[in-house]
Amino acid sequence: MTASVVIVGSSVAGVRTAQALRRGAYEGRIVLLGAESELPYDKPPLSKQFLAGEWPAERVALLSAEAAEQARIELQLGVAADHLDVAERQVVMANGKRIGYDVVVLATGSQARPSPWVAESGLHVLRTIADSQALAADLARDGPVVVVGGGFIGAEVAATARSLGREVTIVDPLEVPVGRLLGREVGSMFVDLHHRNRVATHFGTGVKSVEGRAGQLTVRLTDGQTLTAATVVVGIGALPNDSWLASSGLLVDDGVVCDEYCRAVNAPEVFAVGDVARWMHLGYGESCRVEHWTNAVDQAACVAHNVFHPEALRAYRPVEYVWSDQYDWKIQIVGRPTRATSHCLIGDLGRPSARAAGKPRAVALYKDDSAQFTAAAIVNWPKALVTARRLLAVGSSFDDALSQLEQLAGPRMEPIS
Amino acid sequence: MAVVKADFETCQGYANCVMAAPEVYDIDDEGTVVLLKEEITDEERAKVDEAVNSCPVSALSVEDA
């Protein structure tokens, strides 16, 4: 019998694990530890609606104090976990307090990769609600914005800053930043999207230095050009928060290494969930770590089940899903396009005027060498999203997927590549 | 017996609910959730709870009838 579960980390993975345990009728003690003093909050809006000032803080709340009390989730916020004593089964907090557990769930998430450049002020990364508030305060003042990093966070920040009327430039060392994920053809349409929205790009160019202070920053590029900015945002990826586990004896290698049930490989009473978990995905036949919101939620449900039902463990093998909102595009990616070797595009993504209704819509379908349907990238097309997710969940062949999506598109949306 | 509800204004068409409980939720062509039924059985409750929890914008709820 598991008398107490301690969850380290109060973001979506930790909160959903606690809630799923209660919903699954687990009656023991649940303690949820959070390093930040804020009540648990949700992160996706921090680069979009919350940053733009469209949503108030209440709308990003994940778990109120009342809801926690009602579910008998003991919240302990404002103190970070310092290390894990696996032998004694205790989480040791930064203030020296020790919290005993029968099972511990590691949900410490990830942090923004720190900026390698230092300025006096006006240089931001974006991960926490405090980061988003600080950036919003600077974006409220007029002046050009330089975003370093052309991935999803960078693109979302650029779109939000543009919607606030700011002049925006994005810099990335790759010529087609999204191409790394979706292939060069589809990735180049994301470059065009920035240009259509009057955001300048310096792609294929690195940043040499950032100097100055808020309102008066100078960004020097590796090609010799110089940009001036009021605000600089660095969005160059995330790192798992696993360094606090260095002394634990757990196997840590870009995340806590877990088996297919999300249990630490050398400590079966230790589970990991969300961004910090590196688990064995049996569908891929390799370990993976996923930083997306839906993965945190799906994995939390699986971990909660496995914590409470060790006699009936479930392997965790999800179809990955991530979304991004950029300008007037709602982008969704299902599966793992980087496992594919070729793709086919249906729709009018590159031709925004082709559709009378306004917004372009399209789906790119990806396949591997064995003609298996491996992933899809969808823009502004909810029905295609549902169809693609269903087909990936059942392991469809590429030809079946292509034929179903073509049928959904109708005669006016022929494949264009 | 329980009753499912949706906030159609809040829904953004992420479709997590359709994956969790396809017999209860669908999505229309504009990306808004469609309730295929309003009353659910006790057997369907676990899947519906999962759908409610997996909505990124908390547009779904379920209440005991």
Side-chain angles (χ1 to χ4, degrees):
Chain A
M1 179 59 200
T2 302
S4 71
V5 179
V6 173
I7 301 166
V8 190
S10 61
S11 197
V12 65
V15 168
R16 288 291 192 263
T17 302
Q19 291 171 323
L21 276 167
R22 278 293 178 250
R23 224 174 38 249
Y26 172 71
E27 287 297 326
R29 185 179 184 211
I30 301 177
V31 181
L32 185 63
L33 306 175
E36 292 171 70
S37 50
E38 284 91 354
L39 280 163
Y41 59 87
D42 212 11
K43 295 208 170 76
L46 300 184
S47 55
K48 308 186 261 286
Q49 301 94 334
F50 183 77
L51 180 62
E54 293 163 12
W55 286 12
E58 305 86 71
R59 204 155 163 197
V60 301
L62 265 182
L63 182 71
S64 67
E66 297 74 36
E69 194 180 334
Q70 204 173 14
R72 288 174 293 124
I73 297 167
E74 294 174 39
L75 278 176
Q76 297 191 24
L77 304 174
V79 183
D82 183 75
H83 64 275
L84 189 69
D85 188 334
V86 172
E88 293 293 325
R89 297 195 179 190
Q90 290 173 336
V91 181
V92 185
M93 306 302 286
N95 59 10
K97 190 176 165 189
R98 288 177 167 261
I99 300 168
Y101 62 81
D102 293 302
V103 167
V104 66
V105 179
L106 309 177
T108 42
S110 55
Q111 58 180 299
R113 186 185 292 274
S115 168
W117 311 283
V118 181
E120 286 173 49
S121 60
L123 178 74
H124 297 262
V125 295
L126 179 52
R127 184 70 197 171
T128 65
I129 196 164
D131 293 340
S132 184
Q133 285 163 332
L135 177 57
D138 275 4
L139 290 181
R141 287 194 294 273
D142 200 10
V145 177
V146 171
V147 176
V148 183
F152 280 176
I153 283 285
E156 289 183 353
V157 169
T160 301
R162 192 77 199 101
S163 77
L164 295 169
R166 302 281 94 64
E167 184 189 304
V168 182
T169 303
I170 312 181
V171 182
D172 194 291
L174 295 180
E175 278 177 30
V176 184
V178 178
R180 164 180 50 189
L181 176 66
L182 297 180
R184 197 177 176 92
E185 183 199 16
V186 177
S188 66
M189 294 173 183
F190 285 74
V191 178
D192 295 342
L193 177 66
H194 291 306
H195 296 161
R196 274 204 299 281
N197 287 280
R198 290 175 290 138
V199 165
T201 58
H202 285 270
F203 289 162
T205 308
V207 169
K208 209 158 117 188
S209 68
V210 181
E211 286 161 13
R213 58 180 187 273
Q216 294 173 309
L217 289 154
T218 303
V219 181
R220 289 183 213 286
L221 306 184
T222 51
D223 66 2
Q225 292 193 69
T226 298
L227 307 173
T228 56
T231 304
V232 174
V233 188
V234 177
I236 51 174
L239 300 170
N241 287 322
D242 56 13
S243 59
W244 71 285
L245 296 165
S247 66
S248 66
L250 295 176
L251 185 59
V252 174
D253 180 13
D254 185 39
V256 180
V257 180
C258 297
D259 63 13
E260 65 269 36
Y261 307 115
C262 309
R263 296 180 306 188
V265 288
N266 49 355
E269 73 287 358
V270 179
F271 287 76
V273 64
D275 293 14
V276 80
R278 168 169 293 286
W279 86 100
M280 175 52 69
H281 191 306
L282 293 180
Y284 296 161
E286 61 187 30
S287 80
C288 68
R289 195 174 69 75
V290 177
E291 292 174 353
H292 309 321
W293 190 94
T294 300
N295 180 67
V297 171
D298 290 349
Q299 196 168 20
C302 184
V303 164
H305 170 89
N306 288 346
V307 166
F308 194 32
H309 299 283
E311 76 293 349
L313 293 170
R314 281 185 198 154
Y316 181 57
R317 48 179 302 174
V319 174
E320 290 164 55
Y321 173 54
V322 61
W323 71 85
S324 178
D325 299 330
Q326 299 171 26
Y327 314 103
D328 62 345
W329 281 16
K330 287 174 92 74
I331 301 141
Q332 288 126 350
I333 298 165
V334 196
R336 185 167 275 207
T338 50
R339 295 179 67 83
T341 48
S342 66
H343 72 273
C344 184
L345 189 67
I346 303 172
D348 52 8
L349 207 51
R351 298 174 286 157
S353 59
R355 192 162 174 264
K359 290 183 188 177
R361 68 182 194 181
V363 57
L365 302 174
Y366 293 79
K367 70 172 167 182
D368 65 12
D369 284 335
S370 61
Q372 188 77 15
F373 178 35
T374 57
I378 300 111
V379 174
N380 294 336
W381 195 357
K383 284 282 187 192
L385 166 67
V386 171
T387 303
R389 285 184 82 173
R390 282 181 173 151
L391 290 167
L392 283 164
V394 299
S396 161
S397 75
F398 182 79
D399 287 347
D400 279 353
L402 183 60
S403 124
Q404 287 209 31
L405 267 304
E406 279 176 352
Q407 207 174 346
L408 186 69
R412 290 190 306 114
M413 288 174 72
E414 295 296 314
I416 59 173
S417 70
Chain B
M1 186 71 86
V3 177
V4 295
K5 293 189 174 166
D7 181 338
F8 301 103
E9 298 292 314
T10 300
C11 175
Q12 297 288 311
Y14 293 116
N16 284 353
C17 57
V18 184
M19 300 308 291
E23 53 291 313
V24 180
Y25 303 99
D26 199 1
I27 292 249
D28 70 15
D29 204 36
E30 298 306 311
T32 303
V33 64
V34 176
L35 298 178
L36 300 176
K37 53 173 82 170
E38 293 192 351
E39 293 187 346
I40 54 158
T41 62
D42 291 344
E43 290 73 48
E44 289 169 323
R45 181 63 185 256
K47 280 185 168 184
V48 168
D49 280 335
E50 201 178 311
V52 169
N53 267 283
S54 69
C55 178
V57 288
S58 305
L60 305 176
S61 58
V62 56
E63 289 166 15
D64 293 319

